[in-house]
Structure formats: structure tokens, C-alpha cells
Amino acid sequence: MTVNQCSILYVHDGTVDKTPVEALKSLGFAVHATEDLPPDEALASHQALVVRARPGWSLPMLAARLRAKARFGRRVLIALVPDDTPDR
């Protein structure tokens, strides 16, 4: 029996902190890190997308753009934000 490994695309903010990537890998996920959003066809090969938001990013707009991509479907979308990000 073959078990498919869950693939996570981790879009980082350019920092060299690899702690989240290594932590996800240690839990058994296949993690692919990149600094920029990939083309639609590359995005479709991952079950989850984790985005470390840069200051000033409009997270609702980013989420809307990602959900509008072809074949985004029911993928998990998680945003990591700085502590000083307002609730709204």
C-alpha cells in the first residue's frame, strides 16, 4: 500500500529563519519553500499553502487572489503574520 505524503508550499518573506520549514518536515510533511508565489500549475501540486506575510501585505486580497487561481479548490491556506498585525 502506498501512502501519499502531504505536500506543503511554504512562501517565506525572505528571512533566513528555517524553523517552520524544519518543524513541518520533522512532522512528516513534504515542504517546498519559495520566496515568491509560484505559477498556477506548481501551486496545484500542493495540498496546503503557508504564507509568511510581509509587512503591508493585504491578506484578504492575497487570499482572494490565491483562491481564484485555477484548481486551487479546497486547499488549506494559512498565513503567518507578525505579532503587531491588527486583528482586522
Side-chain angles (χ1 to χ4, degrees):
M1 179 174 155
T2 303
V3 177
N4 291 334
Q5 190 175 23
C6 181
S7 178
I8 297 175
L9 179 65
Y10 182 85
V11 181
H12 58 84
D13 59 358
T15 61
V16 294
D17 181 18
K18 297 203 184 266
T19 304
V21 172
E22 297 307 320
L24 290 167
K25 285 181 179 180
S26 74
L27 292 171
F29 295 103
V31 182
H32 305 277
T34 181
E35 192 171 340
D36 298 313
L37 290 175
D40 292 357
E41 53 277 354
L43 184 65
S45 65
H46 303 284
Q47 288 79 33
L49 177 62
V50 177
V51 178
R52 179 171 291 280
R54 292 181 176 147
W57 275 11
S58 170
L59 295 177
M61 181 56 76
L62 176 65
R65 282 184 42 221
L66 288 170
R67 288 188 189 114
K69 287 189 174 283
R71 300 184 309 161
F72 189 79
R74 294 181 177 240
R75 285 173 175 67
V76 175
L77 175 59
I78 299 171
L80 303 175
V81 299
D83 290 336
D84 61 350
T85 303
D87 290 341
R88 289 194 154 258

